[in-house]
Coordinates of all heavy atoms in Angstrom, one line a residue:
M14 N 0.8 -1.2 0.0 CA 0.0 0.0 0.0 C 0.9 1.2 0.0 O 1.7 1.4 0.9 CB -0.9 0.0 1.2 CG -2.0 -1.0 1.2 SD -3.0 -1.1 2.7 CE -3.3 0.5 3.3
V15 N 0.7 2.1 -0.9 CA 1.4 3.3 -1.0 C 0.7 4.4 -0.2 O -0.5 4.4 0.0 CB 1.5 3.8 -2.5 CG1 2.2 5.1 -2.6 CG2 2.1 2.7 -3.4
D16 N 1.5 5.3 0.3 CA 0.9 6.4 1.1 C 0.1 5.9 2.3 O -1.0 6.4 2.6 CB 0.0 7.3 0.2 CG -0.3 8.6 0.8 OD1 0.4 9.1 1.6 OD2 -1.4 9.2 0.4
R17 N 0.6 4.9 3.0 CA 0.0 4.3 4.1 C 0.0 5.3 5.3 O 1.0 5.9 5.6 CB 0.7 3.0 4.5 CG 0.1 2.2 5.6 CD 0.8 0.9 5.7 NE 0.4 0.0 4.7 CZ 1.2 -0.9 4.1 NH1 2.4 -1.0 4.5 NH2 0.7 -1.7 3.2
L18 N -1.1 5.3 6.1 CA -1.2 6.1 7.3 C -0.8 5.3 8.5 O -0.2 5.8 9.5 CB -2.6 6.7 7.4 CG -3.0 7.6 6.3 CD1 -4.5 8.0 6.4 CD2 -2.2 8.9 6.3
L19 N -1.2 4.0 8.6 CA -0.9 3.2 9.7 C 0.4 2.6 9.6 O 0.9 2.2 8.5 CB -1.9 2.0 9.8 CG -3.4 2.4 10.1 CD1 -4.2 1.1 10.2 CD2 -3.5 3.1 11.4
K20 N 1.1 2.4 10.7 CA 2.4 1.8 10.7 C 2.2 0.3 10.5 O 1.4 -0.3 11.3 CB 3.1 2.1 12.0 CG 4.5 1.5 12.2 CD 5.1 1.9 13.5 CE 6.5 1.2 13.6 NZ 7.0 1.5 14.9
V21 N 2.9 -0.3 9.6 CA 2.8 -1.8 9.4 C 4.1 -2.4 9.5 O 5.1 -2.0 8.9 CB 2.2 -2.0 8.0 CG1 2.2 -3.5 7.7 CG2 0.8 -1.4 7.8
N22 N 4.2 -3.4 10.4 CA 5.5 -4.1 10.6 C 5.2 -5.6 11.0 O 4.0 -6.0 10.8 CB 6.3 -3.4 11.8 CG 5.5 -3.3 13.0 OD1 4.7 -4.2 13.4 ND2 5.7 -2.2 13.8
A23 N 6.1 -6.3 11.5 CA 6.0 -7.7 11.8 C 4.9 -8.0 12.8 O 4.4 -9.1 12.9 CB 7.3 -8.3 12.2
Y24 N 4.6 -7.0 13.6 CA 3.6 -7.1 14.7 C 2.2 -6.8 14.3 O 1.2 -6.9 15.0 CB 4.0 -6.3 15.9 CG 5.3 -6.6 16.4 CD1 6.4 -5.8 16.2 CD2 5.6 -7.8 17.1 CE1 7.7 -6.1 16.7 CE2 6.8 -8.2 17.6 CZ 7.9 -7.3 17.3 OH 9.1 -7.7 17.8
T25 N 2.0 -6.3 13.0 CA 0.7 -5.9 12.5 C -0.2 -7.2 12.5 O 0.2 -8.2 12.1 CB 0.8 -5.3 11.1 OG1 1.6 -4.1 11.2 CG2 -0.6 -4.9 10.6
T26 N -1.4 -7.0 13.0 CA -2.3 -8.2 13.1 C -2.6 -8.8 11.8 O -2.4 -10.0 11.6 CB -3.7 -7.8 13.8 OG1 -3.3 -7.1 15.0 CG2 -4.5 -9.0 14.1
L27 N -3.2 -8.1 10.8 CA -3.5 -8.6 9.5 C -3.1 -7.5 8.5 O -3.6 -6.4 8.5 CB -4.9 -8.9 9.3 CG -5.5 -10.0 10.2 CD1 -7.0 -10.1 10.0 CD2 -4.9 -11.4 9.9
D28 N -2.1 -7.8 7.6 CA -1.6 -6.7 6.8 C -2.2 -6.8 5.4 O -2.1 -5.8 4.6 CB -0.1 -6.7 6.7 CG 0.5 -8.0 6.2 OD1 -0.2 -9.0 5.9 OD2 1.8 -8.0 6.0
L29 N -2.9 -7.8 5.0 CA -3.6 -7.8 3.7 C -4.9 -8.6 3.9 O -5.0 -9.8 3.9 CB -2.8 -8.5 2.6 CG -1.6 -7.6 2.1 CD1 -0.8 -8.4 1.1 CD2 -2.1 -6.3 1.5
V30 N -6.0 -7.8 4.1 CA -7.3 -8.4 4.3 C -8.3 -7.7 3.3 O -8.1 -6.6 3.0 CB -7.7 -8.3 5.8 CG1 -7.9 -6.8 6.2 CG2 -9.0 -9.0 6.1
D31 N -9.3 -8.5 2.8 CA -10.3 -7.9 2.0 C -11.2 -7.0 2.8 O -11.7 -7.4 3.9 CB -11.1 -8.9 1.3 CG -10.3 -9.7 0.3 OD1 -9.4 -9.1 -0.3 OD2 -10.6 -10.9 0.1
A32 N -11.5 -5.8 2.3 CA -12.3 -4.9 3.1 C -13.2 -4.1 2.1 O -13.0 -4.1 0.9 CB -11.4 -3.9 3.9
S33 N -14.2 -3.4 2.7 CA -15.1 -2.6 1.9 C -15.5 -1.4 2.7 O -15.5 -1.4 3.9 CB -16.3 -3.3 1.4 OG -17.0 -3.8 2.4
A34 N -15.8 -0.3 1.9 CA -16.4 0.9 2.6 C -17.6 1.3 1.8 O -17.7 1.2 0.6 CB -15.4 2.0 2.4
E35 N -18.7 1.6 2.6 CA -20.0 2.0 2.0 C -20.4 3.4 2.4 O -20.2 3.7 3.6 CB -21.0 1.0 2.4 CG -20.8 -0.4 1.9 CD -21.9 -1.4 2.3 OE1 -23.0 -1.0 2.5 OE2 -21.5 -2.6 2.3
G36 N -20.9 4.1 1.5 CA -21.5 5.4 1.8 C -22.9 5.4 1.3 O -23.4 4.4 0.7
H37 N -23.6 6.6 1.4 CA -25.0 6.7 0.9 C -25.0 6.5 -0.6 O -26.0 5.9 -1.2 CB -25.6 8.0 1.3 CG -25.9 8.1 2.7 ND1 -26.9 7.3 3.3 CD2 -25.4 8.8 3.7 CE1 -27.0 7.6 4.6 NE2 -26.0 8.5 4.9
D38 N -24.0 6.9 -1.4 CA -24.1 6.8 -2.8 C -22.9 6.1 -3.4 O -22.6 6.2 -4.6 CB -24.2 8.2 -3.4 CG -23.0 9.1 -3.1 OD1 -22.2 8.7 -2.2 OD2 -22.9 10.2 -3.7
F39 N -22.1 5.2 -2.6 CA -21.0 4.5 -3.2 C -20.7 3.3 -2.3 O -21.1 3.2 -1.1 CB -19.8 5.4 -3.3 CG -19.1 5.7 -1.9 CD1 -18.1 4.8 -1.5 CD2 -19.5 6.7 -1.1 CE1 -17.5 5.1 -0.2 CE2 -18.9 7.0 0.1 CZ -17.9 6.2 0.5
A40 N -20.0 2.3 -2.9 CA -19.5 1.2 -2.2 C -18.2 0.8 -2.9 O -18.1 0.8 -4.2 CB -20.4 0.0 -2.2
E41 N -17.1 0.7 -2.2 CA -15.8 0.4 -2.8 C -15.2 -0.8 -2.0 O -15.4 -0.9 -0.8 CB -14.9 1.6 -2.7 CG -15.3 2.7 -3.6 CD -14.2 3.8 -3.8 OE1 -13.9 4.5 -2.8 OE2 -13.7 3.8 -4.9
S42 N -14.4 -1.6 -2.7 CA -13.6 -2.6 -2.0 C -12.1 -2.5 -2.3 O -11.7 -2.0 -3.3 CB -14.1 -4.0 -2.6 OG -15.4 -4.2 -2.3
A43 N -11.3 -2.9 -1.3 CA -9.9 -2.8 -1.5 C -9.2 -3.8 -0.5 O -9.9 -4.2 0.5 CB -9.4 -1.4 -1.2
R44 N -7.9 -4.0 -0.7 CA -7.1 -4.7 0.4 C -6.9 -3.7 1.5 O -7.0 -2.5 1.3 CB -5.8 -5.1 -0.2 CG -5.9 -6.0 -1.4 CD -6.5 -7.3 -1.1 NE -5.4 -8.2 -0.6 CZ -5.7 -9.4 0.0 NH1 -6.9 -9.8 0.3 NH2 -4.7 -10.1 0.5
A45 N -6.7 -4.2 2.7 CA -6.6 -3.3 3.9 C -5.7 -3.9 4.9 O -5.3 -5.1 4.9 CB -8.0 -3.2 4.5
V46 N -5.3 -3.0 5.8 CA -4.6 -3.4 7.0 C -5.5 -3.4 8.2 O -6.3 -2.4 8.3 CB -3.4 -2.4 7.3 CG1 -2.8 -2.6 8.6 CG2 -2.4 -2.4 6.1
L47 N -5.5 -4.4 9.0 CA -6.4 -4.5 10.2 C -5.4 -4.7 11.4 O -4.7 -5.7 11.3 CB -7.4 -5.6 10.1 CG -8.3 -5.8 11.4 CD1 -9.2 -4.5 11.6 CD2 -9.1 -7.0 11.3
N48 N -5.4 -3.9 12.3 CA -4.5 -4.0 13.4 C -5.2 -3.9 14.8 O -6.1 -3.1 14.9 CB -3.3 -3.0 13.3 CG -2.2 -3.3 14.2 OD1 -1.8 -4.5 14.3 ND2 -1.6 -2.3 14.9
V49 N -4.7 -4.7 15.7 CA -5.2 -4.6 17.1 C -3.9 -4.3 18.0 O -2.9 -5.0 17.8 CB -5.9 -5.9 17.6 CG1 -6.3 -5.7 19.0 CG2 -7.0 -6.2 16.7
T50 N -4.0 -3.3 18.8 CA -2.8 -2.9 19.6 C -3.2 -2.3 20.9 O -4.4 -2.0 21.1 CB -1.9 -2.0 18.8 OG1 -0.7 -1.8 19.5 CG2 -2.5 -0.6 18.5
A51 N -2.3 -2.1 21.7 CA -2.5 -1.3 23.0 C -1.2 -0.6 23.3 O -0.1 -1.1 22.9 CB -2.8 -2.3 24.1
P52 N -1.2 0.5 24.0 CA 0.0 1.2 24.4 C 0.9 0.3 25.2 O 0.4 -0.6 25.9 CB -0.5 2.4 25.2 CG -1.9 2.6 24.8 CD -2.4 1.2 24.4
R53 N 2.2 0.4 25.0 CA 3.2 -0.4 25.7 C 3.2 -0.2 27.2 O 3.2 -1.2 28.0 CB 4.6 -0.1 25.2 CG 5.0 -0.8 24.0 CD 6.4 -0.5 23.6 NE 6.6 -0.8 22.2 CZ 7.5 -1.6 21.8 NH1 8.3 -2.2 22.6 NH2 7.6 -1.9 20.5
N54 N 3.2 1.0 27.6 CA 3.2 1.3 29.0 C 1.9 1.8 29.6 O 1.3 2.7 29.0 CB 4.3 2.5 29.3 CG 5.6 2.1 28.8 OD1 6.1 0.9 29.0 ND2 6.3 3.0 28.1
D55 N 1.5 1.1 30.7 CA 0.2 1.5 31.3 C -1.0 1.6 30.4 O -1.6 2.6 30.4 CB 0.4 2.8 32.1 CG 1.5 2.7 33.2 OD1 1.6 1.6 33.8 OD2 2.2 3.7 33.3
P56 N -1.3 0.6 29.6 CA -2.4 0.6 28.6 C -3.7 0.8 29.4 O -4.0 0.1 30.4 CB -2.3 -0.7 27.9 CG -1.6 -1.6 28.8 CD -0.6 -0.8 29.6
E57 N -4.5 1.7 28.8 CA -5.9 1.8 29.4 C -6.9 1.5 28.3 O -8.1 1.6 28.6 CB -6.1 3.3 29.8 CG -5.2 3.7 31.0 CD -5.4 5.1 31.4 OE1 -6.3 5.8 30.8 OE2 -4.7 5.6 32.3
K58 N -6.5 1.1 27.1 CA -7.4 0.8 26.0 C -6.8 -0.2 25.1 O -5.6 -0.3 25.0 CB -7.8 2.1 25.3 CG -6.5 2.7 24.6 CD -6.8 4.0 23.8 CE -5.6 4.5 23.1 NZ -5.8 5.7 22.4
V59 N -7.6 -0.8 24.3 CA -7.2 -1.6 23.1 C -7.7 -0.8 21.9 O -8.8 -0.3 21.9 CB -7.9 -3.0 23.2 CG1 -7.6 -3.8 21.9 CG2 -7.5 -3.8 24.4
E60 N -6.8 -0.7 20.9 CA -7.1 0.1 19.7 C -7.3 -0.9 18.6 O -6.4 -1.7 18.3 CB -6.0 1.1 19.4 CG -6.5 2.0 18.3 CD -5.5 3.2 18.1 OE1 -4.3 3.1 18.5 OE2 -5.9 4.2 17.5
L61 N -8.4 -0.8 17.9 CA -8.7 -1.5 16.7 C -8.6 -0.5 15.5 O -9.2 0.5 15.5 CB -10.1 -2.2 16.7 CG -10.6 -2.9 15.5 CD1 -9.7 -4.2 15.3 CD2 -12.0 -3.3 15.8
Q62 N -7.7 -0.8 14.5 CA -7.4 0.1 13.4 C -7.7 -0.6 12.1 O -7.4 -1.8 11.9 CB -6.0 0.6 13.5 CG -5.5 1.2 14.8 CD -4.0 1.3 14.9 OE1 -3.3 0.4 14.6 NE2 -3.5 2.5 15.3
L63 N -8.2 0.2 11.2 CA -8.4 -0.3 9.8 C -8.1 0.8 8.8 O -8.5 1.9 8.9 CB -9.9 -0.7 9.6 CG -10.3 -1.2 8.2 CD1 -9.7 -2.6 8.0 CD2 -11.8 -1.3 8.1
E64 N -7.3 0.4 7.8 CA -7.0 1.3 6.7 C -7.1 0.6 5.4 O -6.4 -0.4 5.1 CB -5.6 1.8 6.8 CG -5.2 2.8 5.7 CD -3.7 3.3 5.8 OE1 -3.0 2.9 6.7 OE2 -3.4 4.1 4.9
L65 N -8.0 1.1 4.5 CA -8.1 0.5 3.1 C -7.0 1.1 2.3 O -6.6 2.2 2.4 CB -9.5 0.8 2.5 CG -10.6 -0.1 2.9 CD1 -10.9 0.0 4.4 CD2 -11.8 0.1 2.1
D66 N -6.5 0.3 1.3 CA -5.5 0.7 0.4 C -6.1 1.8 -0.5 O -6.9 1.5 -1.4 CB -5.0 -0.5 -0.4 CG -3.9 -0.1 -1.4 OD1 -3.6 1.1 -1.6 OD2 -3.4 -1.0 -2.1
N67 N -5.6 3.0 -0.3 CA -6.3 4.2 -1.1 C -5.9 4.1 -2.5 O -6.5 4.8 -3.3 CB -5.9 5.5 -0.4 CG -4.4 5.8 -0.5 OD1 -3.6 4.9 -0.5 ND2 -4.1 7.1 -0.5
T68 N -4.9 3.3 -3.0 CA -4.6 3.3 -4.4 C -5.7 2.5 -5.1 O -5.8 2.5 -6.3 CB -3.2 2.6 -4.6 OG1 -3.2 1.3 -4.2 CG2 -2.1 3.4 -4.0
Q69 N -6.5 1.7 -4.4 CA -7.6 0.9 -5.0 C -9.0 1.6 -4.9 O -10.0 1.0 -5.2 CB -7.6 -0.5 -4.4 CG -6.4 -1.3 -4.6 CD -6.4 -2.6 -3.9 OE1 -7.2 -2.8 -2.9 NE2 -5.7 -3.6 -4.4
L70 N -9.0 2.8 -4.4 CA -10.2 3.5 -4.1 C -10.4 4.7 -5.0 O -9.4 5.4 -5.3 CB -10.3 4.0 -2.7 CG -10.2 2.9 -1.6 CD1 -10.1 3.5 -0.2 CD2 -11.3 1.9 -1.7
D71 N -11.6 4.9 -5.5 CA -11.9 6.1 -6.3 C -12.6 7.2 -5.6 O -12.3 8.4 -5.8 CB -12.8 5.7 -7.5 CG -12.1 4.7 -8.4 OD1 -10.9 4.9 -8.7 OD2 -12.8 3.8 -8.9
R72 N -13.5 6.9 -4.7 CA -14.4 7.9 -4.0 C -13.9 8.3 -2.6 O -14.2 9.3 -2.1 CB -15.8 7.3 -3.9 CG -16.4 6.9 -5.2 CD -17.1 8.0 -6.0 NE -18.0 8.9 -5.3 CZ -19.3 8.7 -5.2 NH1 -19.9 7.7 -5.7 NH2 -20.0 9.6 -4.5
L73 N -13.2 7.4 -2.0 CA -12.8 7.6 -0.6 C -11.4 8.1 -0.5 O -10.5 7.6 -1.0 CB -13.0 6.3 0.2 CG -13.0 6.3 1.7 CD1 -14.2 7.1 2.1 CD2 -13.1 4.8 2.2
P74 N -11.2 9.3 0.2 CA -9.9 9.8 0.4 C -9.1 8.9 1.4 O -9.6 8.1 2.1 CB -10.1 11.2 1.0 CG -11.4 11.1 1.7 CD -12.2 10.1 0.9
A75 N -7.7 9.0 1.3 CA -6.9 8.3 2.2 C -7.2 8.6 3.6 O -7.3 9.7 4.0 CB -5.4 8.6 1.9
H76 N -7.5 7.5 4.4 CA -7.8 7.7 5.8 C -7.6 6.4 6.5 O -7.5 5.3 5.9 CB -9.2 8.3 6.0 CG -10.2 7.2 5.8 ND1 -10.6 6.8 4.6 CD2 -11.0 6.6 6.7 CE1 -11.5 5.9 4.7 NE2 -11.8 5.7 6.0
A77 N -7.6 6.4 7.8 CA -7.5 5.2 8.7 C -8.6 5.4 9.8 O -8.7 6.5 10.3 CB -6.2 5.0 9.3
D78 N -9.3 4.3 10.0 CA -10.3 4.4 11.1 C -9.8 3.7 12.3 O -9.1 2.7 12.2 CB -11.6 3.7 10.6 CG -12.3 4.5 9.5 OD1 -12.6 5.7 9.7 OD2 -12.5 3.8 8.5
S79 N -10.2 4.1 13.5 CA -9.8 3.4 14.7 C -10.9 3.5 15.7 O -11.7 4.4 15.7 CB -8.5 4.0 15.3 OG -8.7 5.3 15.7
V80 N -10.9 2.5 16.6 CA -11.9 2.4 17.7 C -11.1 2.1 18.9 O -10.3 1.1 19.0 CB -12.9 1.2 17.4 CG1 -13.9 1.1 18.6 CG2 -13.7 1.5 16.1
D81 N -11.4 2.8 20.0 CA -10.8 2.6 21.3 C -11.7 1.7 22.1 O -12.9 2.1 22.2 CB -10.5 3.9 22.0 CG -9.4 4.7 21.4 OD1 -8.6 4.1 20.7 OD2 -9.3 5.9 21.7
L82 N -11.2 0.6 22.6 CA -12.1 -0.4 23.4 C -11.5 -0.5 24.8 O -10.3 -0.6 24.9 CB -12.1 -1.7 22.7 CG -12.6 -1.7 21.2 CD1 -12.3 -3.1 20.6 CD2 -14.1 -1.4 21.1
S83 N -12.4 -0.7 25.7 CA -12.0 -1.1 27.1 C -11.6 -2.6 27.0 O -11.9 -3.2 26.0 CB -13.1 -0.9 28.1 OG -14.2 -1.8 27.8
A84 N -11.0 -3.1 28.0 CA -10.7 -4.5 28.1 C -11.9 -5.3 28.0 O -12.0 -6.3 27.2 CB -9.9 -4.8 29.4
E85 N -13.0 -4.9 28.6 CA -14.3 -5.7 28.6 C -14.8 -5.6 27.1 O -15.3 -6.7 26.6 CB -15.3 -5.1 29.6 CG -16.6 -5.8 29.6 CD -17.6 -5.1 30.6 OE1 -17.1 -4.4 31.4 OE2 -18.8 -5.4 30.5
Q86 N -14.8 -4.5 26.5 CA -15.3 -4.4 25.1 C -14.5 -5.2 24.2 O -15.0 -5.9 23.3 CB -15.3 -2.9 24.7 CG -16.4 -2.1 25.4 CD -16.1 -0.6 25.1 OE1 -15.0 -0.1 25.0 NE2 -17.2 0.1 25.0
A87 N -13.2 -5.2 24.4 CA -12.3 -6.0 23.5 C -12.6 -7.5 23.7 O -12.6 -8.3 22.7 CB -10.8 -5.7 23.8
R88 N -12.9 -7.9 24.9 CA -13.2 -9.3 25.1 C -14.5 -9.7 24.5 O -14.7 -10.8 23.9 CB -13.2 -9.6 26.6 CG -11.9 -9.7 27.2 CD -11.9 -10.3 28.6 NE -10.6 -10.2 29.2 CZ -10.1 -9.2 29.9 NH1 -10.9 -8.2 30.2 NH2 -8.9 -9.2 30.4
K89 N -15.5 -8.8 24.5 CA -16.8 -9.0 23.8 C -16.6 -9.2 22.3 O -17.2 -10.1 21.7 CB -17.7 -7.8 24.1 CG -19.0 -7.8 23.3 CD -20.0 -8.9 23.8 CE -21.3 -8.7 23.1 NZ -21.8 -9.9 22.5
V90 N -15.8 -8.3 21.7 CA -15.5 -8.4 20.3 C -14.8 -9.7 20.0 O -15.1 -10.4 19.0 CB -14.6 -7.2 19.8 CG1 -14.1 -7.4 18.4 CG2 -15.5 -5.9 19.9
A91 N -13.8 -10.1 20.8 CA -13.1 -11.3 20.6 C -14.1 -12.5 20.7 O -14.0 -13.5 19.9 CB -12.0 -11.5 21.7
A92 N -15.0 -12.5 21.7 CA -16.0 -13.6 21.8 C -16.8 -13.7 20.6 O -17.1 -14.8 20.1 CB -16.8 -13.4 23.1
D93 N -17.3 -12.6 20.1 CA -18.1 -12.6 18.9 C -17.3 -13.1 17.7 O -17.8 -13.9 16.8 CB -18.7 -11.3 18.6 CG -20.0 -11.0 19.4 OD1 -20.4 -11.9 20.1 OD2 -20.6 -9.9 19.2
L94 N -16.1 -12.7 17.6 CA -15.2 -13.2 16.5 C -15.1 -14.7 16.6 O -15.2 -15.4 15.6 CB -13.8 -12.5 16.5 CG -13.8 -11.1 16.1 CD1 -12.5 -10.4 16.4 CD2 -14.1 -11.0 14.6
E95 N -14.8 -15.2 17.8 CA -14.7 -16.7 17.9 C -16.0 -17.4 17.6 O -16.0 -18.4 16.9 CB -14.3 -17.0 19.4 CG -12.9 -16.7 19.7 CD -11.9 -17.7 19.1 OE1 -12.3 -18.8 18.7 OE2 -10.7 -17.3 19.0
K96 N -17.1 -16.8 18.0 CA -18.4 -17.5 17.7 C -18.7 -17.5 16.2 O -19.1 -18.6 15.7 CB -19.6 -16.7 18.4 CG -21.0 -17.2 18.1 CD -22.0 -16.4 18.9 CE -22.3 -15.1 18.4 NZ -23.4 -14.4 19.0
Y97 N -18.5 -16.4 15.5 CA -18.8 -16.4 14.1 C -17.7 -17.1 13.3 O -18.0 -17.7 12.2 CB -19.0 -14.9 13.6 CG -20.3 -14.4 14.1 CD1 -20.3 -13.4 15.1 CD2 -21.5 -14.9 13.7 CE1 -21.5 -12.9 15.6 CE2 -22.7 -14.4 14.2 CZ -22.7 -13.4 15.2 OH -23.9 -13.0 15.7
A98 N -16.5 -17.2 13.8 CA -15.5 -18.0 13.1 C -15.9 -19.5 13.2 O -15.7 -20.2 12.2 CB -14.1 -17.8 13.8
A99 N -16.4 -19.9 14.3 CA -16.8 -21.3 14.4 C -18.0 -21.6 13.5 O -18.1 -22.6 12.8 CB -17.2 -21.6 15.9
K100 N -18.9 -20.6 13.3 CA -20.0 -20.8 12.4 C -19.6 -20.9 11.0 O -20.1 -21.8 10.2 CB -21.0 -19.5 12.6 CG -22.2 -19.6 11.8 CD -23.1 -18.4 12.1 CE -24.4 -18.5 11.3 NZ -25.3 -17.4 11.6
V101 N -18.6 -20.1 10.6 CA -18.1 -20.1 9.2 C -17.3 -21.5 9.0 O -17.5 -22.1 7.9 CB -17.1 -19.0 8.9 CG1 -16.3 -19.2 7.7 CG2 -17.9 -17.7 8.9
E102 N -16.5 -21.9 10.0 CA -15.8 -23.2 9.8 C -16.8 -24.3 9.7 O -16.6 -25.3 8.9 CB -14.9 -23.4 11.0 CG -13.7 -22.5 11.0 CD -12.9 -22.6 12.3 OE1 -13.4 -23.0 13.4 OE2 -11.7 -22.3 12.2
Q103 N -17.9 -24.3 10.5 CA -18.9 -25.4 10.4 C -19.6 -25.4 9.0 O -19.8 -26.4 8.4 CB -20.0 -25.2 11.5 CG -21.0 -26.4 11.5 CD -20.3 -27.7 11.7 OE1 -19.6 -27.9 12.7 NE2 -20.7 -28.7 10.9
A104 N -19.9 -24.2 8.5 CA -20.5 -24.1 7.2 C -19.5 -24.6 6.1 O -20.0 -25.3 5.2 CB -20.9 -22.7 6.9
Q105 N -18.3 -24.4 6.2 CA -17.3 -24.8 5.3 C -17.1 -26.4 5.4 O -17.0 -27.0 4.3 CB -15.9 -24.2 5.5 CG -15.9 -22.7 5.1 CD -14.7 -22.0 5.5 OE1 -13.9 -22.4 6.3 NE2 -14.5 -20.8 4.9
R106 N -17.2 -26.9 6.6 CA -17.1 -28.4 6.7 C -18.3 -29.0 6.1 O -18.2 -30.0 5.4 CB -17.0 -28.8 8.2 CG -15.6 -28.6 8.8 CD -15.6 -29.3 10.2 NE -16.4 -28.7 11.2 CZ -15.9 -27.6 11.9 NH1 -14.7 -27.1 11.7 NH2 -16.7 -27.1 12.8
N107 N -19.5 -28.4 6.3 CA -20.7 -29.0 5.7 C -20.7 -28.9 4.2 O -21.1 -29.9 3.5 CB -22.0 -28.2 6.2 CG -22.2 -28.4 7.7 OD1 -21.7 -29.4 8.3 ND2 -23.0 -27.6 8.3
A108 N -20.2 -27.8 3.7 CA -20.1 -27.7 2.2 C -19.1 -28.8 1.6 O -19.4 -29.4 0.6 CB -19.6 -26.3 1.8
A109 N -18.0 -29.0 2.3 CA -17.0 -30.0 1.9 C -17.6 -31.4 2.0 O -17.4 -32.2 1.0 CB -15.7 -29.9 2.7
E110 N -18.3 -31.7 3.0 CA -19.0 -33.0 3.1 C -20.0 -33.2 2.0 O -20.1 -34.3 1.4 CB -19.6 -33.1 4.5 CG -18.7 -33.2 5.6 CD -19.3 -33.2 7.0 OE1 -20.6 -33.1 7.1 OE2 -18.6 -33.2 8.0
N111 N -20.8 -32.1 1.7 CA -21.8 -32.2 0.6 C -21.1 -32.5 -0.7 O -21.6 -33.3 -1.5 CB -22.6 -31.0 0.6 CG -23.6 -30.9 1.8 OD1 -23.9 -31.9 2.4 ND2 -24.0 -29.7 2.1
R112 N -20.0 -31.8 -0.9 CA -19.2 -32.0 -2.2 C -18.7 -33.4 -2.3 O -18.8 -34.1 -3.3 CB -18.1 -31.0 -2.4 CG -18.6 -29.6 -2.8 CD -17.4 -28.7 -3.2 NE -16.4 -28.5 -2.1 CZ -16.4 -27.6 -1.1 NH1 -17.4 -26.8 -1.1 NH2 -15.4 -27.6 -0.3
A113 N -18.2 -33.9 -1.2 CA -17.7 -35.3 -1.1 C -18.8 -36.3 -1.4 O -18.6 -37.3 -2.1 CB -17.0 -35.6 0.2
E114 N -20.0 -36.1 -0.8 CA -21.1 -37.0 -1.0 C -21.5 -36.9 -2.5 O -21.9 -38.0 -3.1 CB -22.3 -36.6 -0.1 CG -22.0 -36.9 1.3 CD -23.1 -36.4 2.2 OE1 -24.2 -35.9 1.7 OE2 -23.0 -36.5 3.5
E115 N -21.5 -35.8 -3.1 CA -21.9 -35.6 -4.5 C -21.0 -36.4 -5.4 O -21.4 -37.0 -6.4 CB -22.0 -34.2 -4.9 CG -23.1 -33.4 -4.3 CD -23.1 -31.9 -4.6 OE1 -22.2 -31.5 -5.3 OE2 -24.0 -31.2 -4.1
T116 N -19.7 -36.4 -5.1 CA -18.7 -37.1 -6.0 C -18.8 -38.6 -5.8 O -18.4 -39.4 -6.6 CB -17.3 -36.6 -5.7 OG1 -16.9 -36.8 -4.3 CG2 -17.1 -35.1 -6.1
D117 N -19.3 -39.0 -4.6 CA -19.4 -40.5 -4.3 C -20.6 -41.1 -5.0 O -20.6 -42.3 -5.3 CB -19.6 -40.7 -2.8 CG -18.3 -40.5 -2.0 OD1 -17.2 -40.4 -2.7 OD2 -18.3 -40.3 -0.8
D118 N -21.6 -40.2 -5.4 CA -22.8 -40.7 -6.0 C -22.6 -41.1 -7.5 O -21.9 -41.1 -8.3 CB -23.9 -39.7 -6.0 CG -24.4 -39.5 -4.6 OD1 -24.2 -40.4 -3.7 OD2 -25.0 -38.4 -4.3

């Protein structure tokens, strides 16, 4: 990503993820950086950051979004991510089993 606003290094959570931005009169998709971090010394928050690759966008200016979360809020997000990850994995297993059954017929 050229002209990146977020710092990306070996500790970045996800450096290339599919993302999208929607407005009232547009929708755009691009690769993005998704990062979760906290200050090194005496952290009081967890920061969730997202930046779409602005070289792949036509309508949206270069920017990065961030959300400050308390430890409790971060755990709630983590729990929901785990729950929905399990749901996606189960759906993928079911689809693979269905494909295997179709080839056996």
